[in-house]
Amino acid sequence: MDDGPGEAGPSRRSRRGLIGSVLDGAGGIVRSVASDVAPSVVDAVDVNEVVGRVDIESVVDRIDLDEVLSRVDVQALIDRIDLDELLARVDLNQVLERVDVDVLIARVDVNRVLERVDVDVLIARVDVNQVLERVDVDAVVRRVDLDELMRGVDVDQVLQRVNVDALIARTELGSVVARSTAGVIGGALDLLRSVGVGLDLFVQRWVNRLLRRDPSAPPGGPRLLVASASPASEAVTP
Amino acid sequence: MTQFAAPGRDLELQGHYAGAVTRLVAYVIDSVTLSFLFAVGATVFEFLLADVLGIDFDVADHPVAATVALAVWSFLYFAVPLAASGRTFGSAVLGLRVVRSDGSELDPGHAAIRVLVFPLSFLFFGLGFLLILVNREHRALQDLIADTAVVYAWDARAARLRILARAPVGGGEPGGTSAVRSAPS
């Protein structure tokens, strides 16, 4: 096809010209055939059938996905994805139904996740009232071991917070106590003793002032009685 | 006088050293009781001698015998109940109790010593009693010698309940009538 200068004779020149003209003609024919026939052929081919006959699994197996992924700029890809739109089109419930949560959780390092979670922020976003509204408190209470719970309660501390004076004053218990233990003489003795202690403290305050002691200092007591801290009539217990 | 009464305070002071006023009142009650009983006893004795034996006997005519009798009677009056319960009549009325200096129960020996040395406190214008005011443990001379102490010891809890039961609602001790106290800070 090259008609460049040469040293061949006239016969070779004429032969080359023949072949060239033939080849030129064939090329034109082929182009003509390709342009006329190819669309018809392509139309005649059922691409889906072709694809169906391809063993995609074996193709995929032959692809080095790591190599492919290493050549992909994932970040750029992610940047170009509209996640909102994507998520809007995803039926998450359907996805979740197909997910084996147990397997998923088994593969998750929960501690590592929790380390990255700001619990305070999380709790701040939780509507506790709403949560509690959805809680079956009765069922929770039924599952509580009250005996175990009560074992952890310091009853003495609870009773210390009870104002027995007010309790007696507000209930019939007061009149029962009064009727059962007190007569006129008993009441007079209670008053006499209490007034006596008051006068003792009054005198002692003045004496302490004169002796330059702390006037408000309460009287001490014998080691065995004061240390026991159990004021009662039977205060003397060796 | 009732401004000095405070049942809650009394409860806290049980087992603490008793002060001078209550001890003085207790002693006065004991002295009056002792004297009254001695007088009654002397009268009964004179009556018995005169009526049963026909002997005309007047205690006032025998001062030495009367003094000895009074001393013996006084010793018995104080020592026996002290040895038995740590209280005389007067101290029981005032809610006092005599104990050993460490708080243990008074034994008969120390009770007897205490009663025997008791008159020493009257010497030097009652200097022995003045120790009750000055001494931090409110111990008089007889207490120091006999190794004893006097403490408040009555059923202050029951007394407090009785006082509260008589008080009108809301008129109890300071602190209101709420049945539940505020949590301790």
Side-chain angles (χ1 to χ4, degrees):
Chain A
M1 308 227 224
D2 186 4
D3 290 340
E7 293 175 359
S11 59
R12 188 178 179 182
R13 180 179 298 159
S14 61
R15 196 175 55 198
R16 178 176 292 177
L18 178 62
I19 292 171
S21 63
V22 170
L23 288 175
D24 288 342
I29 293 168
V30 169
R31 276 194 297 272
S32 173
V33 169
S35 62
D36 292 339
V37 175
S40 305
V41 172
V42 170
D43 290 341
V45 172
D46 185 351
V47 178
N48 290 328
E49 186 181 341
V50 172
V51 171
R53 293 173 65 182
V54 173
D55 185 355
I56 295 176
E57 289 294 328
S58 62
V59 173
V60 170
D61 287 343
R62 293 175 64 185
I63 295 174
D64 186 350
L65 280 173
D66 292 334
E67 178 66 21
V68 172
L69 289 173
S70 68
R71 295 170 66 179
V72 174
D73 185 351
V74 178
Q75 190 58 47
L77 185 66
I78 291 172
D79 290 344
R80 292 175 63 185
I81 295 174
D82 185 347
L83 280 173
D84 292 334
E85 188 180 342
L86 183 67
L87 289 172
R89 295 170 62 184
V90 173
D91 184 350
L92 282 175
N93 290 325
Q94 198 173 3
V95 172
L96 289 173
E97 281 177 5
R98 297 174 62 184
V99 173
D100 186 344
V101 180
D102 293 334
V103 173
L104 187 66
I105 290 174
R107 293 173 62 184
V108 174
D109 185 350
V110 178
N111 290 326
R112 195 171 164 191
V113 172
L114 288 175
E115 281 175 6
R116 296 172 63 184
V117 173
D118 187 343
V119 179
D120 291 334
V121 173
L122 190 67
I123 291 174
R125 294 175 63 184
V126 174
D127 185 349
V128 179
N129 291 325
Q130 197 174 7
V131 172
L132 288 176
E133 280 177 6
R134 298 173 63 183
V135 173
D136 185 353
V137 180
D138 292 335
V140 173
V141 170
R142 276 197 295 273
R143 293 176 63 183
V144 173
D145 185 348
L146 283 175
D147 292 334
E148 183 68 26
L149 188 69
M150 290 304 292
R151 267 196 288 276
V153 175
D154 187 348
V155 179
D156 289 336
Q157 198 170 12
V158 173
L159 288 177
Q160 279 176 3
R161 295 184 60 191
V162 176
N163 189 345
V164 180
D165 302 350
L167 193 64
I168 289 174
R170 290 167 58 183
T171 61
E172 290 296 318
L173 185 61
S175 58
V176 171
V177 172
R179 279 198 300 269
S180 61
T181 60
V184 176
I185 295 176
L189 277 181
D190 294 338
L191 185 63
L192 176 67
R193 290 166 176 171
S194 192
V195 170
V197 173
L199 289 171
D200 278 345
L201 296 176
F202 176 76
V203 170
Q204 196 56 45
R205 271 197 297 273
W206 279 102
V207 171
N208 285 341
R209 280 201 182 96
L210 290 172
L211 298 176
R212 297 183 181 281
R213 294 176 185 160
D214 179 11
S216 61
R223 177 174 49 85
L224 293 177
L225 298 179
V226 174
S228 63
S230 57
S233 60
E234 299 306 320
V236 180
T237 51
Chain B
M1 288 291 275
T2 53
Q3 62 180 331
F4 292 102
R9 175 206 60 201
D10 299 345
L11 188 59
E12 293 175 1
L13 287 178
Q14 295 304 300
H16 288 71
Y17 297 117
V21 176
T22 48
R23 291 183 64 173
L24 176 64
V25 174
Y27 175 71
V28 169
I29 292 174
D30 278 331
S31 298
V32 170
T33 307
L34 173 76
S35 303
F36 175 74
L37 290 178
F38 184 76
V40 170
T43 305
V44 170
F45 183 71
E46 288 173 356
F47 176 76
L48 287 176
L49 283 179
D51 242 30
V52 177
L53 301 176
I55 301 172
D56 189 15
F57 183 84
D58 190 350
V59 174
D61 295 337
H62 303 82
V64 177
T67 304
V68 171
L70 180 61
V72 171
W73 168 237
S74 298
F75 176 80
L76 293 175
Y77 175 89
F78 284 105
V80 172
L82 278 181
S85 65
R87 306 170 192 264
T88 61
F89 175 69
S91 55
V93 170
L94 268 294
L96 307 180
R97 188 166 199 164
V98 182
V99 295
R100 297 291 304 278
S101 61
D102 62 353
S104 59
E105 200 163 358
L106 186 66
D107 56 84
H110 285 86
I113 293 171
R114 188 177 189 276
V115 175
L116 287 174
V117 301
F118 182 81
L120 296 177
S121 292
F122 288 100
L123 298 177
F124 304 107
F125 307 102
L127 188 65
F129 295 115
L130 197 63
L131 290 174
I132 296 173
L133 288 172
V134 178
N135 192 300
R136 285 184 184 275
E137 297 177 342
H138 300 182
R139 294 170 73 189
L141 182 62
Q142 69 269 20
D143 292 318
L144 294 173
I145 294 173
D147 190 31
T148 58
V150 182
V151 297
Y152 299 116
W154 76 87
D155 193 352
R157 189 182 297 276
R160 182 162 168 252
L161 294 178
R162 284 192 292 266
I163 291 172
L164 289 167
R166 288 191 203 96
V169 175
E173 286 182 280
T177 56
S178 172
V180 179
R181 293 191 181 101
S182 58
S185 56

